[in-house]
Amino acid sequence: MQLLEERIRKDGKVLPGDVLKVNSFLNHQLDAELLDAVGAEIAGLFKDCGVTKVLTAEASGIAIACFVALHLHCPALFAKKSKTSNIGSGVWSAKAHSYTHGNDYTMIVSKEYLSGEDTVLIVDDFLANGSALRALRELCTEAGAKVAGAGIAIEKKYQGGGDELRAEGLRVESMSRIASMDAEDGIRFC
Amino acid sequence: MQLLEERIRKDGKVLPGDVLKVNSFLNHQLDAELLDAVGAEIAGLFKDCGVTKVLTAEASGIAIACFVALHLHCPALFAKKSKTSNIGSGVWSAKAHSYTHGNDYTMIVSKEYLSGEDTVLIVDDFLANGSALRALRELCTEAGAKVAGAGIAIEKKYQGGGDELRAEGLRVESMSRIASMDAEDGIRFC
């Protein structure tokens, strides 16, 4: 998606430790008009899939998920992150690992809002090694929900998580795919 | 706002401990179309105030803030919550207290995104005792930013936080105002 790639090129900052900082428009400050356009694009790709729910993870996935849900005319649902694995019986839960923060955490959603009746589109801001996306998919599996696929704003394609999930049969649509990046040469898209 | 009050009456659950559970449409599962309408309403009230930034707190304020920002054609910014008060020099920070969780926390925003150039509209899902709203206002004060006011989805008016802030001169616009609630008699709006 050209609009998003241009913005990443213009305002994204490549930091040491393989970090792409997009805090100015994607996950601290939010460019609502850009995210609405990204949401419309993702929604358009999955419009014939019978999606009943858009699932994301707090906090940085919420904005995009809302706009996708608006364009698909269905609710969004955000998984909450918990540091304990001591979770009540009223929720579906799945473990994930944050490479950014170097810790494990548990994602939870209330059983009230995810069931075998649902067809789910998973949405997130980033896809790198795929740990968060796998956990979100696991929540759907536990609930017996069908997964239509995943819509991602920025895929770090060189980290391989997206292609592994595609090889497992998951439809993954990324609005920008980074082939390589470093502080000197900048960002190269696929 | 009639649409929101009707939805609270229909799907809100009054739980022990003065809790109004609106997880099915406002802060776990999100009704994007309803939140877009709430966002448009808040934006309309502040459209002539020269707002340059919509400020909220993660995670449950993000959805409404995005829609307000979309309708005001400006960015949204969400304050992150930190459990430590040991914060770096690159951020504005303010302490708040969660009565729901019974703990103190620190809200932080990057200095890059909030400055004396900004006119800020603060947005949040709930206003009860006003602790979160005060902390968000303090972030603006630290940054030297002007505060145009606050747009709130649900004000628990009987808790008094909103009226205290109004008495201090803050413009607070709430899309629904609860006069009283309990599990037996239900919810009464002002």
Side-chain angles (χ1 to χ4, degrees):
Chain A
M1 190 184 172
Q2 204 181 339
L3 191 69
L4 181 60
E5 289 186 4
E6 281 169 7
R7 188 59 175 276
I8 294 167
R9 233 186 268 279
K10 181 171 161 276
D11 292 331
K13 287 178 191 160
V14 182
L15 302 182
D18 195 43
V19 172
L20 175 61
K21 193 179 166 198
V22 287
N23 270 4
S24 66
F25 60 95
L26 189 63
N27 47 27
H28 180 26
Q29 182 164 259
L30 305 164
D31 182 331
E33 281 162 320
L34 175 68
L35 297 185
D36 183 43
V38 170
E41 184 82 13
I42 293 173
L45 291 168
F46 289 92
K47 70 178 161 44
D48 299 321
C49 300
V51 174
T52 61
K53 205 147 286 185
V54 174
L55 177 66
T56 191
E58 71 173 357
S60 54
I62 295 175
I64 301 175
C66 278
F67 289 116
V68 175
L70 184 70
H71 290 282
L72 284 176
H73 308 289
C74 73
L77 175 66
F78 65 87
K80 300 185 181 192
K81 291 177 184 172
S82 167
K83 277 177 189 158
T84 67
S85 50
N86 182 16
I87 301 295
S89 61
V91 297
W92 308 115
S93 69
K95 282 189 186 159
H97 180 78
S98 167
Y99 288 84
T100 313
H101 300 106
N103 61 350
D104 289 325
Y105 59 96
T106 303
M107 286 203 203
I108 56 174
V109 295
S110 168
K111 289 182 179 176
E112 286 180 76
Y113 308 126
L114 193 61
S115 78
E117 309 286 302
D118 282 311
T119 298
V120 175
L121 172 58
I122 301 171
V123 165
D124 213 351
D125 56 341
F126 270 98
L127 166 57
N129 59 75
S131 176
L133 186 42
R134 283 179 187 280
L136 290 166
R137 185 179 59 171
E138 194 181 323
L139 294 174
C140 297
T141 306
E142 278 184 52
K146 189 181 156 194
V147 178
I152 303 293
I154 304 176
E155 178 179 349
K156 289 175 167 174
K157 198 151 189 314
Y158 61 92
Q159 290 204 12
D163 286 337
E164 279 171 28
L165 284 156
R166 288 182 185 97
E168 293 169 21
L170 186 69
R171 179 179 173 194
V172 180
E173 302 279 0
S174 299
M175 299 305 99
S176 64
R177 291 174 302 153
I178 297 175
S180 67
M181 63 178 207
D182 65 59
E184 278 183 21
D185 300 333
I187 299 161
R188 197 170 61 81
F189 291 99
C190 297
Chain B
M1 189 183 172
Q2 204 181 341
L3 191 67
L4 181 60
E5 289 186 4
E6 282 169 6
R7 188 60 176 275
I8 294 167
R9 232 185 269 277
K10 180 172 160 278
D11 291 330
K13 286 176 191 161
V14 182
L15 302 183
D18 196 43
V19 172
L20 175 60
K21 192 178 166 198
V22 288
N23 270 3
S24 66
F25 59 96
L26 189 63
N27 47 27
H28 180 25
Q29 181 165 260
L30 306 163
D31 181 331
E33 281 162 320
L34 175 68
L35 297 183
D36 183 43
V38 170
E41 184 84 12
I42 293 173
L45 291 168
F46 290 92
K47 69 178 163 40
D48 299 321
C49 301
V51 174
T52 62
K53 205 147 287 185
V54 174
L55 177 65
T56 191
E58 71 173 358
S60 54
I62 295 175
I64 301 176
C66 277
F67 290 116
V68 174
L70 183 72
H71 290 282
L72 284 176
H73 309 289
C74 73
L77 177 64
F78 65 87
K80 301 184 181 192
K81 291 176 183 173
S82 167
K83 276 178 189 157
T84 67
S85 50
N86 181 17
I87 302 294
S89 62
V91 297
W92 308 115
S93 69
K95 282 189 184 158
H97 180 78
S98 167
Y99 288 84
T100 314
H101 299 106
N103 61 350
D104 289 324
Y105 60 95
T106 304
M107 285 202 203
I108 55 175
V109 295
S110 168
K111 288 182 180 175
E112 286 180 77
Y113 309 125
L114 193 61
S115 78
E117 308 287 301
D118 283 310
T119 297
V120 175
L121 172 58
I122 301 171
V123 166
D124 213 350
D125 56 341
F126 270 98
L127 166 57
N129 58 75
S131 176
L133 185 44
R134 283 179 187 281
L136 291 166
R137 184 178 62 171
E138 193 181 323
L139 294 173
C140 297
T141 306
E142 280 183 52
K146 189 181 156 193
V147 178
I152 304 293
I154 303 176
E155 178 179 349
K156 287 175 168 174
K157 198 152 190 309
Y158 61 92
Q159 290 204 12
D163 286 337
E164 279 172 27
L165 285 156
R166 287 182 186 99
E168 293 169 24
L170 186 69
R171 179 180 173 193
V172 180
E173 301 279 2
S174 299
M175 298 306 99
S176 65
R177 292 174 301 154
I178 296 175
S180 66
M181 62 178 207
D182 65 59
E184 279 183 21
D185 300 332
I187 300 161
R188 197 169 62 82
F189 292 99
C190 297

